[in-house]
Amino acid sequence: MTSPLFSGPSATRRTLLKTAGKATAVLAAAALSLSACSTGPASSTPDASTSSSSSAQFPVTIKHVFGETTIKEQPTRVATVSWVNDDVAIALGVVPVGVPKNEWGGNEQGSTPWKDAALTELGAGFGSEKAPVQYSETDGINFTEIAKLTPDVILAAYSGLTEEDYKKLTEIAPVVAHPDVAYGTSWQDSTSIIGKALGKEAEAAKLVSDTEATIKEKVSKYPQIAGKSYIYGNLEPASAEGVNVYTANDNRPRFLSEIGMTLAPVVEENSKGSKAFFIPWSAEKANELDSDIFVTWVPDAATTDSIKADPLLGQIPAIQKGALVADSDNTLTLSISASSPLSLPWSLDTFLPQLASAADKVTAAVK
């Protein structure tokens, strides 16, 4: 699976996550029994009228960056690639037959707290008979393991599939690829696309609405965040690459804008018309990265201290004001960067107070 998350143009998103966190878990794919896998809520039998209504929606055709995909019948064996897609399917009550391991930001099970909770509720927690098979994407799309699962649809609405990846996957099953920009699909669009693919459009619309309501309610407790300008980027004092700044195409800035913050003009101006999700920025010009708050992640507290002490990075205006949000929790970083209807509600009680604290420092600095 490819997509740059944290570094230069040639790096993959997953590779960059590993580099940024300075800790990678290269784990073997789980060897679970294929006969134990199922799709749909494992704890109950779908209501007959709901099933009939869903079936009536098919066939459906979904347009994407590589053309369009027609799904003739409601899928019963769903496989996913990349991040987000499995979260959305599970949030819609569908247990995939196979999902990628979370090898960055994940737990000992190669999963996440929000995914574990949702799967357990469906009676399909990892370690149980009805759990999805997990496969590694450390070296890219795991075509072999996916093919073994004989899926009838492969979800990649949020992904960085290349055309070659797409063609190989279509030899296995119909593929729902990303609609436009690689790794640029919003969680709302991912949910809507996957809802259509699974015959659950109404459920997807409600899931989006309910999640947005939860976010709005949580954000309302921190009015100091509203209107603050921000930059979300990657700062590594020991790296020759210096700084990478995320554009409005990326889900991290998109989330901050959705909760009432404003992407810094310097980022808007320097990424205008670009389909890239980040732009490289010279450390020598770090002082030009003007915003109220700068958000990044770090492997440990020592790195935060190194950023503040760095003669170039320390000149970033938000850092000088004490408004640097730098969390070392990789799982929290993943929950925002690969945001989904499951991950965002999980993240808010930790992430929003960090933003609020930085916003308070900005207010205090101008008094």
Side-chain angles (χ1 to χ4, degrees):
M1 182 188 74
T2 58
S3 150
L5 184 58
F6 302 117
S7 189
S10 64
T12 68
R13 189 168 197 135
R14 193 173 292 279
T15 298
L16 292 167
L17 269 165
K18 296 172 189 171
T19 301
K22 294 188 174 59
T24 176
V26 182
L27 306 173
L32 302 180
S33 168
L34 300 189
S35 62
C37 300
S38 65
T39 300
S43 57
S44 62
T45 301
D47 178 81
S49 61
T50 301
S51 178
S52 175
S53 174
S54 296
S55 298
Q57 298 174 24
F58 290 86
V60 298
T61 298
I62 298 173
K63 294 182 179 180
H64 49 72
V65 70
F66 302 118
E68 58 183 38
T69 295
T70 297
I71 304 170
K72 295 179 180 179
E73 298 178 346
Q74 185 169 23
T76 59
R77 295 184 62 81
V78 176
T80 71
V81 300
S82 182
W83 299 297
V84 178
N85 304 291
D86 53 347
D87 279 10
V88 173
I90 293 165
L92 289 172
V94 174
V95 179
V97 293
V99 300
K101 276 193 171 185
N102 291 103
E103 292 169 304
W104 193 94
N107 54 29
E108 292 180 355
Q109 297 186 114
S111 181
T112 58
W114 54 88
K115 186 156 50 185
D116 287 341
L119 281 173
T120 297
E121 189 173 337
L122 292 172
F126 290 115
S128 71
E129 290 185 354
K130 296 184 179 181
V133 168
Q134 292 172 288
Y135 32 81
S136 173
E137 287 191 341
T138 299
D139 298 319
I141 303 296
N142 202 322
F143 302 100
T144 301
E145 294 304 312
I146 292 172
K148 288 179 183 178
L149 298 171
T150 62
D152 46 26
V153 71
I154 299 169
L155 301 179
Y158 175 88
S159 71
L161 290 184
T162 65
E163 189 163 9
E164 181 181 3
D165 291 335
Y166 173 74
K167 288 178 178 178
K168 286 184 179 179
L169 286 173
T170 58
E171 294 175 4
I172 301 171
V175 180
V176 179
H178 53 284
D180 187 16
V181 179
Y183 293 98
T185 314
S186 70
W187 67 266
Q188 293 96 327
D189 285 347
S190 293
T191 304
S192 297
I193 292 167
I194 291 171
K196 182 176 181 180
L198 299 179
K200 291 178 173 285
E201 286 190 271
E203 294 94 326
K206 185 176 188 305
L207 178 59
V208 169
S209 177
D210 289 350
T211 304
E212 289 180 334
T214 296
I215 293 170
K216 184 176 180 180
E217 188 273 328
K218 296 278 188 181
V219 172
S220 69
K221 299 176 182 178
Y222 304 97
Q224 64 268 56
I225 294 173
K228 293 292 187 296
S229 64
Y230 71 87
I231 295 174
Y232 203 133
N234 175 32
L235 302 176
E236 291 198 56
S239 171
E241 293 172 352
V243 183
N244 292 298
V245 175
Y246 303 115
T247 71
N249 295 322
D250 187 82
N251 276 341
R252 285 155 291 196
R254 186 179 284 135
F255 172 68
L256 294 181
S257 294
E258 287 176 351
I259 64 173
M261 300 180 71
T262 304
L263 184 60
V266 65
V267 179
E268 291 275 21
E269 292 163 7
N270 283 277
S271 61
K272 194 172 296 182
S274 173
K275 284 194 172 184
F277 71 85
F278 79 100
I279 53 174
W281 195 271
S282 170
E284 282 72 20
K285 298 193 299 178
N287 64 312
E288 298 176 18
L289 292 171
D290 191 16
S291 65
D292 291 326
I293 297 171
F294 197 107
V295 184
T296 188
W297 73 96
V298 291
D300 48 47
T303 302
T304 303
D305 294 337
S306 297
I307 290 171
K308 294 176 180 178
D310 188 272
L312 297 176
L313 301 183
Q315 296 304 306
I316 293 174
I319 293 177
Q320 291 188 320
K321 289 180 286 193
L324 173 66
V325 176
D327 196 277
S328 60
D329 183 344
N330 291 347
T331 304
L332 180 62
T333 296
L334 181 65
S335 71
I336 301 296
S337 61
S339 52
S340 77
L342 293 181
S343 73
L344 286 177
W346 178 91
S347 72
L348 296 176
D349 288 340
T350 301
F351 188 55
L352 292 179
Q354 293 180 0
L355 291 175
S357 177
D360 290 339
K361 290 176 182 176
V362 173
T363 302
V366 297
K367 287 183 179 179

